[in-house]
């Protein structure tokens, strides 16, 4: 074997500069690391263990891969063949996603440039050791060995060789290894942009080889699977088994849209790998065996290289528009996530600046929510539950209206009704006066006969208005919860979750709890009035008392007049005038002066209750909830507060966790890769567009026998359709 860099015959069928450029675009995207985040068009070599996958890859690339019958591929190997003027081979390791940061750094440091192919075998073993694949270590790895082979006559290909599918566990391969390989291979196969090269060994019946089953699972219609038959020379000439595999190669047994291809593996017993010798043996075999009946384009590694280039080119051409769109969407997603994380904040100054900017937006949204202009996008659709709860002023006003109605209908301990009722809250006037009379008798002081104890109205009013405390505290809790919900929604809108949670926990929640305590304390001040002697200068009190007494007299007069009319057959005479006057103006001295006093207490209490109720309904919203729960919202987290905030508090709120720092680094890395990929795709799209716009030769000026191909325009001047390439 000649110890030099490999060099194939030029693949003339893909000689178009535009076609090579398109293939280079994807290679560049892969080199930029885009395949870590977005599925790229690629060829993947899949097959059962010992099916000859590595031999196929070796024949295509010209590199000597380990291919002994008792060995198998332990990790994915990505072979990138590039056609450039300068020849060379470089090897590196792409760490698996489950690797730690230390392992990633260690594995990424494994890089080497080879001067000749003789060094590759030893380098391959070195890579296995770096990955930890030793006799006593892990059997398989999720890391990727990346081999880049460049030269002036290389085919434009990128092929991934995957570990062979395992049928069952053994002493050297555990059940965990079986699952790991299955998951790894399936992850590559289910990529809709992957072309599956399903390698089937002629040494075993093809129905027993699970690679075909796995391919059907992810590609049921066989649209992106190309079958490759290896080791055809192991079949006895003219045997039934040879006929079966010939039928398979003709796409008659298992039908794939891309068809089948047959290659002959080099005999392992003939020493080192020699590409020229291998190709010569293969050519001789196909000229003399039954497989010579197959089309020449479907047999031999030389034709396979051309065929794979054609297949990969077609796949890239079809997938590139969607790939560009996916890159755009991925970039937008990264930018949104980074914007949500906010700027980097490693120092106190960066952290304080972040909080100042955040507090300004927070204050503006709080002001809008309290004052009522809901034109900011934050407030959303008013018809949705989420939109309604963000409109704080509307929420609070509705709660205040409900509170006023509840106090009016449920604020008194009992209701006065005309007739007796089983409801505990119902009292007739007579029953209420009787209760007050009982209370009056047990509250006597030094007052004169016929006068109640001056403090009796206070006691009756306190009892009558006792529900106020519970109803008002419930109302305060409702307003408090509404404000808390608004704060949480604003932080969800403005800050990433960890920062918002820290701001709530460290700063806003304690302040809101203090506001709630202040609200309850302010309510206690209002309720304390109930413990003191009633005082009012509201004329409504006197008017109400007067109306109630007038009504009482009218009822009394009505009863007496009704009695007179009944006793005199509905007629009144002059002799009845004194009785009428007596009914209208009863004597001031009531035989039961205590009952008269109880009547007055009842009227005074009811009149004062109505005055106090209206005042209470107004005071709770204005003096309690507005002053203690809403107004403080505008100043509890604002730029001035953040500017004077203790540095330790700033750090507790805004310092990034290790997890968030890692997330930011990963998002930044991903965005940089996607941005590079987007730039690469845009440059290519621009060049392709420019090429399409270039004036073409007039038909009459074209070369004899040639005419303009309309599909050239459709394909962006990429040259002839590859389906017509590589045919004899």
């Amino acid at each position: 074997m000649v110890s030099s860099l490999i060099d194939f015959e030029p693949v003339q069928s893909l000689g178009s500069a535009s076609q090579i450029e398109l293939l280079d675009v994807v290679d560049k995207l892969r080199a930029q690391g885009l395949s870590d985040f977005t599925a790229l068009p690629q060829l993947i070599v899949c097959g059962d263990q010992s099916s000859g996958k590595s031999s196929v890859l070796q024949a295509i690339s010209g590199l000597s891969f380990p291919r002994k019958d008792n060995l198998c591929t332990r990790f994915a190997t990505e072979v990138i063949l590039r056609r450039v003027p300068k020849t060379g081979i470089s090897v590196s390791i792409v760490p698996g996603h489950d690797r730690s940061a230390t392992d990633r750094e260690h594995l990424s440091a494994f890089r080497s440039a080879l001067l000749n192919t003789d060094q590759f075998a030893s380098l391959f073993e070195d890579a296995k050791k770096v990955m930890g694949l030793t006799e006593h270590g892990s059997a398989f790895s999720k890391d990727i060995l990346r081999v880049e082979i460049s030269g002036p006559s290389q085919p434009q290909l990128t092929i991934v060789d995957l570990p062979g599918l395992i049928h069952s566990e053994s002493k050297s391969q555990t059940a965990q290894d079986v699952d790991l390989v299955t998951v790894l291979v399936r992850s590559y196969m289910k990529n809709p942009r992957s072309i599956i090269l399903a390698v089937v060994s002629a040494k075993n019946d093809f129905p027993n080889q699970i690679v075909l089953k796995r391919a059907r699972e992810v590609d049921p219609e066989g649209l992106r699977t190309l079958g490759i038959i290896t080791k055809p020379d192991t079949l006895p000439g003219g045997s039934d088994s040879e006929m079966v595999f010939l039928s398979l190669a003709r796409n008659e047994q298992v039908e794939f849209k891309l068809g089948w291809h047959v290659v002959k593996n080099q005999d392992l017993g003939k020493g080192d790998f020699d590409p020229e010798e291998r190709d010569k043996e293969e050519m001789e075999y196909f000229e003399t065996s039954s497989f010579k009946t197959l089309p020449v384009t479907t047999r031999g590694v030389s034709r396979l290289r051309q065929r794979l280039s054609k297949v990969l080119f077609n796949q890239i051409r079809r997938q590139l528009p969607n790939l560009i769109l996916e890159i755009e969407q991925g970039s937008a997603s990264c930018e949104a996530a980074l914007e949500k994380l906010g700027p980097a904040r490693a120092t106190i100054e960066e952290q304080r600046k972040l909080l100042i900017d955040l507090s300004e937006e927070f204050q503006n949204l709080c002001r809008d929510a309290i004052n009522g202009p809901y034109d900011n996008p934050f407030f959303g659709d008013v018809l949705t539950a989420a939109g309604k709860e963000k409109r704080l002023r509307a929420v609070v006003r509705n709660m205040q209206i409900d509170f006023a109605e509840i106090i009016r209908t449920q604020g008194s301990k009992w209701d006065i009704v005309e007739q007796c009722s089983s409801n505990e809250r119902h009292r007739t006037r007579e029953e209420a006066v009787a209760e007050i009379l009982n209370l009056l008798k047990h509250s006597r002081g030094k007052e004169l006969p016929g006068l109640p104890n001056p403090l009796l109205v206070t006691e009756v009013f306190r009892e009558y208005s006792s529900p106020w405390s519970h109803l008002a505290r419930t109302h305060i809790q409702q307003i408090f919860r509404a404000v808390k919900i608004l704060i949480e929604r604003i932080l969800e809108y403005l800050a990433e979750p960890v920062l918002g949670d820290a701001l709530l926990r460290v700063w806003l929640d304690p302040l809101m709890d203090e506001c709630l305590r202040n609200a309850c304390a302010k309510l206690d001040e209002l309720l304390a009035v109930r413990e003191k002697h009633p005082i009012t200068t509201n004329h409504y009190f006197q008017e109400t008392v007067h109306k109630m007494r007038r009504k009482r007299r009218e009822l009394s007069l009505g009863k007496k007049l009704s009695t007179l009319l009944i006793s005199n057959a509905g007629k009144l005479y002059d002799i009845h005038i004194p009785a009428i006057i007596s009914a209208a103006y009863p004597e001031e001295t009531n035989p039961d002066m205590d009952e008269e006093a109880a009547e007055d207490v009842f009227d005074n209490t009811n009149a004062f209750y109505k005055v106090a109720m209206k005042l209470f309904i107004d005071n709770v919203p204005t003096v309690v909830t507005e002053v203690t729960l809403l107004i403080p919202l505008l100043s509890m987290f604002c730029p001035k507060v953040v500017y004077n905030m203790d540095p330790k508090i700033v750090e507790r709120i805004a310092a990034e966790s290790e997890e968030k720092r890692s997330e930011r680094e990963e998002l930044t890395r991903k965005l940089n890769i996607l941005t590079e990929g987007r730039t690469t795709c845009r440059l290519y799209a621009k060049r392709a567009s420019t090429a399409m716009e270039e004036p073409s030769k007039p038909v009459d000026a074209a070369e004899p026998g040639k005419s303009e191909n309309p599909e050239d325009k459709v394909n962006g001047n990429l040259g002839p359709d590859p389906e017509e390439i590589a045919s004899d």
Side-chain angles (χ1 to χ4, degrees), residues 283-301:
M283 185 180 299
E284 292 174 354
Y285 171 76
F286 283 128
E287 288 177 352
T288 58
S289 70
S290 300
F291 286 89
K292 67 182 179 181
T293 59
L294 296 175
V296 69
T297 55
T298 63
R299 51 185 169 87
V301 73

Side-chain angles (χ1 to χ4, degrees), residues 688-713:
S689 175
T690 302
M692 290 177 65
E693 293 172 0
E694 288 180 358
S696 57
K697 296 179 181 180
V699 176
D700 55 1
E703 296 180 29
K706 293 187 178 181
S707 62
E708 185 180 17
N709 183 359
E711 290 191 0
D712 289 350
K713 291 185 177 180

Side-chain angles (χ1 to χ4, degrees), residues 330-583:
S331 298
S333 176
C334 280
E335 289 168 353
L338 284 171
E339 185 177 357
K340 193 76 171 177
L341 285 175
R345 45 187 192 273
T347 66
I348 289 294
E349 290 73 18
E350 291 175 338
Q351 294 162 10
R352 193 183 299 276
K353 183 180 183 306
L354 172 71
L355 292 183
I356 287 175
D357 293 341
L358 178 61
S359 67
E360 185 175 6
E361 295 183 74
F362 178 89
Q363 187 182 41
N364 290 336
L365 287 178
C366 286
R367 183 182 296 109
D368 289 348
I370 292 173
N371 294 336
Y374 306 124
D375 53 351
N376 192 292
F378 161 75
F379 294 102
D381 187 354
V382 68
L383 298 179
T384 64
K388 292 175 183 177
E389 67 184 6
K390 295 174 184 177
R391 290 161 164 77
L392 184 61
R393 178 55 66 189
V395 172
V396 170
R397 287 292 294 123
N398 290 330
M399 288 180 176
Q400 290 170 346
I401 292 171
D402 293 342
F403 171 70
E405 182 63 22
I406 289 172
I407 291 294
R408 278 192 288 267
T409 57
Q410 304 174 29
S412 59
K413 189 174 182 179
W414 60 80
D415 294 331
I416 302 302
V417 295
E418 295 292 333
Q419 298 178 348
C420 295
S421 170
S422 59
N423 192 319
E424 293 182 356
R425 293 190 71 250
H426 289 172
R427 302 280 195 282
T428 62
R429 180 183 176 87
E430 290 75 14
E431 289 173 338
V433 171
E435 290 183 15
I436 294 174
L437 180 60
N438 182 55
L439 187 62
L440 181 148
K441 291 179 178 180
H442 292 85
S443 304
R444 295 187 189 279
K446 295 180 179 181
E447 66 274 2
L448 296 173
L451 297 177
N453 187 324
L455 299 178
L456 186 57
V457 173
T458 304
E459 292 185 33
V460 176
F461 172 72
R462 184 189 308 130
E463 184 71 12
Y464 194 42
S465 62
S466 58
W468 286 7
S469 177
H470 169 70
L471 295 175
R473 293 183 195 282
T474 300
H475 174 64
I476 290 172
Q477 285 288 346
Q478 290 174 337
I479 301 291
F480 175 76
R481 283 195 293 271
V483 174
K484 286 268 290 183
I485 288 173
L486 173 69
I487 291 174
E488 291 171 2
R489 297 297 174 267
I490 291 177
L491 292 180
E492 288 172 1
Y493 182 74
L494 296 178
E496 53 91 14
V498 173
L499 176 60
D501 180 69
L503 187 54
L504 275 174
R505 186 181 64 256
V506 176
W507 190 256
L508 293 174
D509 278 350
L511 289 179
M512 282 304 300
D513 290 342
E514 182 181 351
C515 288
L516 180 60
R517 289 192 294 269
N518 292 339
C520 293
K522 185 63 69 174
L523 177 64
D524 290 339
E525 291 179 14
L526 293 181
L527 294 173
V529 176
R530 295 169 54 248
E531 306 296 327
K532 300 178 182 179
H533 188 71
I535 299 175
T536 180
T537 59
N538 194 324
H539 64 87
Y540 180 74
F541 170 73
Q542 294 175 328
E543 293 175 358
T544 304
V545 172
H546 177 72
K547 289 179 181 178
M548 295 181 73
R549 287 176 178 173
R550 181 188 178 95
K551 184 177 181 181
R552 184 151 46 99
R553 288 195 187 99
E554 290 173 351
L555 288 172
S556 176
L557 176 61
K559 288 180 180 179
K560 291 183 179 181
L561 286 174
S562 178
T563 302
L564 286 172
L565 289 169
I566 292 171
S567 62
N568 292 282
K571 296 180 180 181
L572 295 176
Y573 301 94
D574 292 345
I575 60 173
H576 297 132
I577 292 176
I580 295 173
I581 294 173
S582 176

Side-chain angles (χ1 to χ4, degrees), residues 1 55 58-59 62-64 67 266 270-275 278:
M1 174 183 175
S55 295
Q58 177 174 274
L63 283 176
S64 179
R67 54 187 184 90
Q266 185 179 18
K270 291 190 176 182
D272 294 336
F273 173 69
D274 186 333
R278 182 226 166 274

